[in-house]
Amino acid sequence: MIRIFLISLILILSGSPVLAEAQHGLSLYGPNGLKYKDSDSFVYANPKAPKGGHVVLSDFGAFTKLNPASLKGVIAPGVGNLVFQTPMDSSSDDDEPFSQYGSLVERVELAEDRMSMVYHIRPNAKFSDGTPVTAEDFVFSFDLIKHPEFHPVFKQYFKDIKKVDALDKLSVKYTFSIFNQELPLITGQMIIFPKHVYGDPKKNFGSDFDDIAVGSGPYMVDKYEFGKFITLKRNPNWWAKDLPKNKGRYNFDSITWKIYLDPVAQREGFKGGDFDIEMVNSSRDWALDFKGDFLKKNYYIREEVPHKRVAGMQGYAMNTRKEIFKSRKVRAAFAMVLDFEWSNKNLFYGQYTRNENYFDNNPEMKAKGVPEGNVKKILLDLKKKYPKAIPKTALTKPVGTPGQGIPIDKNIAIAKKLLTSAGWKVGKNGFREKDGKPLKIEILLVSPAFNRITEPYKNNLGKIGVDASVKVVQVAEYEKRLRSFNFDMIVASFPQSRSPGNEQRYMWGSEAAKMEGTRNYIGIENPAIDELIEEIVKAKTRKELVDNIQAMDRILTHQFYMVPHWYIAYDRVVYWNKFSRPKINASQSPVLNNFIEWWWWDKAKVKKLEAARAAGNPVN
């Protein structure tokens, strides 16, 4: 406490903003927004959960690196969140829209104007090689973001941190360039790298650390083979194992991910007992598979776990850097001919709900009806400044997918008229052309499972004169083409949290459209959206945040940048009957993440399962 007091006194005497009392956590809405005391465990934990067991998971697509922050390559599963740590630890509690608690950081002092803050690092925090975590590592990790081969997503996310200064060995001050209500919490999500490892002047961060992973997290890399498997082992000397927030957490002694390149082999691998748990993303697999004798005998369990997460948006994303997709009429035509009702009945077994906007499944943020009140005023003011950036329909119609609820034949007829109006005429071969160029596009996929979903859509595109093809490529090639925006259409998902903020920049911002490796796959360069993003980032109240989110959402939706897909308000999971778990599921986190963090190896269940399988009997 003496050290904290002296630092605070120095800051006051030097004319810096007054810092609030040191807290064990931060909430978007102030100290009263924190649900947990420093001595509390999370309600979705079992503090008495036993440690032990070796679990095996699966991952689709080969990995090529262990560096979680470099631009090139595909990161190995588990490394980014289990080997490396951040200053703060985000809550997954349904009651906390955005709260964080100290992880590497013991206490945080936030200036009253939220323009700076001081972290006080835990004295016992160590990296896996035994080296203490210090303020120098925090400063180094911030400076590292400037490296040309550091992933641009992080560059965008942390761009409003002006500077980071070490005050002493265990205290570090962050100064912000703009007011941003959530920026102090965003800062808590920065990966902290050991300077003595990744700061080696003889090595390049983007190419020389693909096979190194030294962090301060609960697990260490045990063994791996690029593209085949990776095993992490729990660090028995992990410095944070006795913190209240980590009680009952990270219970498995070791975790192995097996890599699959074929979804059928992956599915059959689970049923053969090659790995322990699988999140099922295919509605077909969920409806038709995992129903055999092993399920009846209770060898493995099939479960639908409800969640309250914001659905975000998934769909076919159109790359507006391509000349074909610069026309809003063309984009609308493409969006109209996906027959969701047919697909949901014939392909998805009625499991899905259609995406209508970019913040679906959230009653607070999802825009309803035509814009009114402050949202309408925001849109009108922006339309005066940027007449071409905001479609008229954003002010006159609700959010929704064009043509939804209308018979597909009628949508196809309307889509044809839209393409003709945009100058695309039907040629002799039945496909459209304009100025001698064909209306030809490629839909790029990484998962063969999406073939059966995409083919009917491709056929409907053919009915309106689009020469569409589908190409499935390996993960490495897919990632390379995504980074360089070398595609016409892809299946893209844009997940959202209950507290949207800086991440909107690298999904929709004009600067991100020109920056390789960002998630602005669509290539959006819309000044009205840029302005709204900054208003979202600076919002001081929840209402201000939601109003600007709804205004942005209406522009995104009515610009028809995507062909919306569908979402589901529960996780589909199958797992072998040898685990136990806490009574409460942290639904703001996917169930597979909760499995890794909060479930545990149940020795009694393992013995019962082994005995039942040996005798061919059900598990009682």
Side-chain angles (χ1 to χ4, degrees):
M1 280 308 286
I2 293 174
R3 179 172 57 83
I4 295 174
F5 171 77
L6 288 174
I7 291 168
S8 299
L9 182 61
I10 291 168
L11 289 170
I12 291 170
L13 293 176
S14 64
S16 297
V18 177
L19 297 174
E21 182 181 351
Q23 299 286 333
H24 67 286
L26 290 176
S27 170
L28 193 64
Y29 304 109
N32 292 335
L34 291 174
K35 178 175 178 177
Y36 298 96
K37 297 178 182 178
D38 197 14
S39 57
D40 292 341
S41 298
F42 291 116
V43 295
Y44 44 84
N46 173 13
K48 297 181 180 180
K51 306 293 185 185
H54 173 211
V55 299
V56 182
L57 308 177
S58 71
D59 194 58
F60 183 80
F63 65 90
T64 60
K65 64 175 183 176
L66 304 185
N67 188 332
S70 57
L71 172 60
K72 296 181 180 180
V74 180
I75 181 66
V79 170
N81 58 323
L82 296 177
V83 174
F84 293 90
Q85 278 190 293
T86 55
M88 307 285 279
D89 189 9
S90 295
S91 168
S92 296
D93 200 299
D94 285 335
D95 297 332
E96 295 188 295
F98 196 2
S99 294
Q100 289 185 336
Y101 296 90
S103 182
L104 287 169
V105 168
E106 184 175 33
R107 288 285 186 271
V108 56
E109 293 176 278
L110 178 62
E112 291 181 359
D113 62 2
R114 299 182 79 90
M115 292 296 290
S116 65
M117 69 179 186
V118 173
Y119 277 149
H120 300 282
I121 302 164
R122 295 185 190 273
N124 63 327
K126 291 181 173 61
F127 293 106
S128 59
D129 62 1
T131 305
V133 179
T134 69
E136 279 195 15
D137 298 305
F138 278 63
V139 174
F140 167 74
S141 298
F142 170 72
D143 291 339
L144 193 57
I145 295 174
K146 302 169 188 174
H147 192 285
E149 293 184 60
F150 207 87
H151 204 291
V153 164
F154 297 109
K155 293 177 185 287
Q156 285 283 310
Y157 199 53
F158 299 117
K159 68 177 291 187
D160 291 331
I161 301 174
K162 184 177 182 180
K163 61 177 181 175
V164 180
D165 298 302
L167 301 180
D168 64 22
K169 186 176 181 180
L170 295 176
S171 300
V172 59
K173 181 184 177 183
Y174 288 74
T175 304
F176 307 127
S177 58
I178 67 167
F179 176 88
N180 176 345
Q181 185 77 4
E182 70 169 7
L183 187 53
L185 287 90
I186 287 171
T187 302
Q189 299 174 340
M190 183 182 296
I191 296 173
I192 301 302
F193 291 93
K195 180 180 179 181
H196 68 282
V197 176
Y198 295 90
D200 187 336
K202 298 178 182 178
K203 294 185 177 181
N204 184 287
F205 179 79
S207 57
D208 293 331
F209 295 100
D210 286 346
D211 57 353
I212 297 174
V214 180
S216 59
Y219 286 85
M220 303 180 294
V221 175
D222 183 21
K223 52 187 175 181
Y224 67 92
E225 188 173 344
F226 281 126
K228 292 188 177 181
F229 76 93
I230 183 169
T231 297
L232 306 183
K233 62 179 179 180
R234 187 162 52 83
N235 183 354
N237 300 314
W238 184 40
W239 67 271
K241 64 180 185 298
D242 294 324
L243 292 180
K245 298 298 182 293
N246 291 327
K247 291 293 186 182
R249 194 176 193 180
Y250 307 121
N251 300 311
F252 302 122
D253 283 346
S254 59
I255 307 172
T256 292
W257 279 265
K258 290 185 176 181
I259 305 303
Y260 289 84
L261 302 178
D262 177 67
V264 175
Q266 187 176 18
R267 183 175 69 244
E268 295 304 313
F270 170 81
K271 291 189 288 186
D274 291 342
F275 56 94
D276 293 309
I277 184 170
E278 181 176 15
M279 286 271 286
V280 182
N281 296 318
S282 165
S283 57
R284 178 188 178 279
D285 292 349
W286 190 248
L288 303 179
D289 263 330
F290 311 110
K291 287 187 175 182
D293 189 50
F294 281 10
L295 181 66
K296 294 177 183 177
K297 291 182 176 179
N298 212 28
Y299 292 173
Y300 63 74
I301 296 168
R302 180 181 183 273
E303 187 175 359
E304 295 175 356
V305 183
H307 69 73
K308 298 179 182 178
R309 299 191 295 274
V310 183
M313 169 63 80
Q314 177 185 294
Y316 294 112
M318 293 172 264
N319 188 352
T320 61
R321 301 171 186 84
K322 305 288 185 176
E323 191 63 36
I324 287 172
F325 292 125
K326 292 186 183 299
S327 165
R328 180 172 173 265
K329 289 182 178 180
V330 170
R331 298 196 299 268
F334 272 65
M336 293 191 76
V337 297
L338 189 149
D339 191 348
F340 171 74
E341 284 79 8
W342 182 91
S343 295
N344 200 31
K345 179 181 178 181
N346 294 281
L347 301 178
F348 307 146
Y349 304 88
Q351 296 175 34
Y352 290 121
T353 301
R354 186 79 187 267
N355 272 111
E356 292 186 337
N357 70 321
Y358 288 73
F359 294 86
D360 230 322
N361 199 41
N362 185 277
E364 181 189 23
M365 287 190 286
K366 182 175 181 177
K368 303 172 185 67
V370 297
E372 297 177 346
N374 192 46
V375 175
K376 182 177 181 180
K377 181 180 183 302
I378 291 170
L379 289 169
L380 286 171
D381 289 347
L382 286 170
K383 191 160 182 62
K384 289 178 183 177
K385 293 173 68 175
Y386 314 110
K388 295 181 180 180
I390 301 175
K392 292 180 181 178
T393 54
L395 285 153
T396 60
K397 292 185 178 182
V399 295
T401 302
Q404 184 63 21
I406 299 173
I408 188 62
D409 290 345
K410 188 172 183 179
N411 279 337
I412 286 174
I414 296 171
K416 287 179 177 179
K417 291 179 181 178
L418 284 169
L419 291 178
T420 300
S421 176
W424 291 96
K425 309 298 182 183
V426 179
K428 294 180 180 180
N429 60 358
F431 294 117
R432 293 177 182 265
E433 55 186 37
K434 181 180 180 180
D435 300 329
K437 296 181 180 179
L439 184 52
K440 185 176 183 178
I441 62 105
E442 177 187 83
I443 303 174
L444 184 69
L445 303 176
V446 68
S447 171
F450 245 96
N451 251 331
R452 72 185 189 96
I453 297 168
T454 303
E455 282 297 329
Y457 176 56
K458 170 193 163 186
N459 293 339
N460 282 350
L461 287 174
K463 292 177 183 178
I464 63 173
V466 178
D467 185 3
S469 61
V470 180
K471 184 175 183 179
V472 182
V473 297
Q474 295 293 325
V475 172
E477 181 182 348
Y478 186 78
E479 291 290 335
K480 182 179 180 180
R481 291 184 63 174
L482 251 60
R483 283 198 302 270
S484 59
F485 308 120
N486 181 21
F487 59 86
D488 300 324
M489 291 181 76
I490 57 169
V491 174
S493 62
F494 298 96
Q496 296 287 356
S497 73
R498 292 171 295 171
S499 179
N502 278 26
E503 73 285 349
Q504 306 303 311
R505 287 174 174 155
Y506 60 75
M507 290 192 281
W508 330 117
S510 296
E511 185 179 346
K514 306 179 185 72
M515 189 180 296
E516 182 176 305
T518 70
R519 289 182 61 84
N520 190 346
Y521 304 130
I522 299 167
I524 297 172
E525 295 186 57
N526 186 312
I529 290 177
D530 290 337
E531 192 166 313
L532 283 168
I533 290 172
E534 296 313 304
E535 292 301 317
I536 290 165
V537 166
K538 294 185 296 183
K540 294 183 180 180
T541 66
R542 184 69 180 175
K543 185 180 186 308
E544 188 179 349
L545 174 72
V546 171
D547 285 351
N548 283 288
I549 282 291
Q550 290 191 0
M552 184 181 73
D553 192 8
R554 289 180 184 275
I555 299 172
L556 287 169
T557 303
H558 286 279
Q559 282 287 8
F560 311 130
Y561 291 127
M562 294 188 70
V563 183
H565 280 181
W566 38 82
Y567 69 91
I568 193 166
Y570 55 88
D571 292 329
R572 297 167 295 201
V573 62
V574 288
Y575 55 93
W576 285 87
N577 191 2
K578 51 187 177 182
F579 305 100
S580 289
R581 66 187 188 192
K583 294 179 180 179
I584 296 175
N585 177 60
S587 81
Q588 292 305 314
S589 179
V591 70
L592 186 57
N593 290 27
N594 293 336
F595 172 85
I596 294 170
E597 287 194 48
W598 304 108
W599 293 29
W600 62 92
W601 181 271
D602 191 316
K603 291 182 179 179
K605 288 185 177 180
V606 171
K607 289 182 179 179
K608 282 186 177 182
L609 178 61
E610 289 175 350
R613 291 190 67 179
N617 296 328
V619 174
N620 297 321

